[in-house]
Amino acid sequence: MKIRRKNAIFEREFTFSQSIMGKPQVGEMAPYFKSKTQDGDTLSLADLRGERVILYFYPKDNTSGCTLEAKSLRDGKEELTRMGFRIIGVSPDSEKSHRNFCTKHDLNFTLLADTDHSVAEAYGVWAEKSMYGRKYMGILRTTFVIDAEGRIERIFEKVDTANHYQQILKAYQE
């Protein structure tokens, strides 16, 4: 499968093979991103320099697993903030969908509207999935922890949706 990605510096499109792109690894610089928040503001990785970030990718607003994960992070936000983390969720849903999701579940953190999948592609989490024999492209639920210098500090690929904030805390207590 070929993926087209626009290089922000040179304003050109390049085609990459999905097998070449893959996920960034622990210790590597986090891929650059720029997207709109639920409030319509633009947020980029450069804006987050100096902050530790929990960047979590989830498939869809208001679905059971995604709602459990968001509520877990909401409930643990105070403790995660004390540890120096900022929480940012990313899905292909629109700004309006994110606003509704935040309002409905009292979410107290930023959601990015990755409607063109560019952020998910940069992090290697936009991939072919299968359900009931039907193949489709979608988000692989994954969380990246990015340090204050912009390096990938940890990756959670097996996310415990109902207890995700505790999963992150436990990883940092080891």
Side-chain angles (χ1 to χ4, degrees):
M1 168 174 291
K2 299 274 185 185
I3 296 176
R4 298 183 71 79
R5 186 184 305 166
K6 196 170 189 178
N7 181 306
I9 296 171
F10 297 105
E11 295 297 320
R12 290 183 154 165
E13 284 190 5
F14 296 92
T15 302
F16 297 88
S17 167
Q18 188 167 10
S19 61
I20 294 172
M21 287 177 50
K23 289 182 186 167
Q25 300 301 306
V26 171
E28 294 179 355
M29 293 303 290
Y32 179 80
F33 65 83
K34 183 176 179 181
S35 194
K36 295 282 187 179
T37 70
Q38 73 267 25
D39 298 321
D41 300 323
T42 300
L43 183 70
S44 72
L45 182 62
D47 298 328
L48 301 169
R49 180 72 73 194
E51 295 184 70
R52 291 173 76 198
V53 176
I54 295 170
L55 186 68
Y56 84 97
F57 289 86
Y58 66 99
K60 188 161 181 53
D61 291 344
N62 289 304
T63 55
S64 59
C66 298
T67 300
L68 285 172
E69 184 177 15
K71 286 180 169 184
S72 172
L73 291 167
R74 173 202 67 197
D75 295 346
K77 183 181 181 225
E78 188 175 314
E79 193 165 355
L80 292 167
T81 300
R82 275 196 306 270
M83 293 174 65
F85 292 115
R86 177 171 175 184
I87 302 167
I88 300 175
V90 184
S91 85
D93 296 296
S94 68
E95 295 167 40
K96 181 179 179 185
S97 176
H98 282 339
R99 277 192 305 276
N100 292 339
F101 188 43
C102 287
T103 300
K104 183 175 181 179
H105 300 289
D106 297 315
L107 302 183
N108 51 5
F109 50 82
T110 303
L111 298 180
L112 292 181
D114 189 25
T115 56
D116 66 357
H117 321 124
S118 61
V119 181
E121 288 173 16
Y123 282 78
V125 298
W126 183 254
E128 186 175 86
K129 297 170 80 172
S130 179
M131 185 183 296
Y132 305 116
R134 184 178 74 87
K135 293 185 185 291
Y136 62 97
M137 295 300 288
I139 295 276
L140 300 176
R141 187 185 309 276
T142 309
T143 297
F144 295 87
V145 179
I146 303 170
D147 72 16
E149 285 76 45
R151 289 195 184 281
I152 304 292
E153 190 172 286
R154 286 191 189 259
I155 302 172
F156 296 87
E157 294 179 288
K158 290 181 173 50
V159 173
D160 178 356
T161 55
N163 303 296
H164 193 36
Y165 110 81
Q166 292 97 332
Q167 182 182 22
I168 294 167
L169 288 179
K170 184 179 178 188
Y172 280 90
Q173 292 169 349
E174 296 174 345

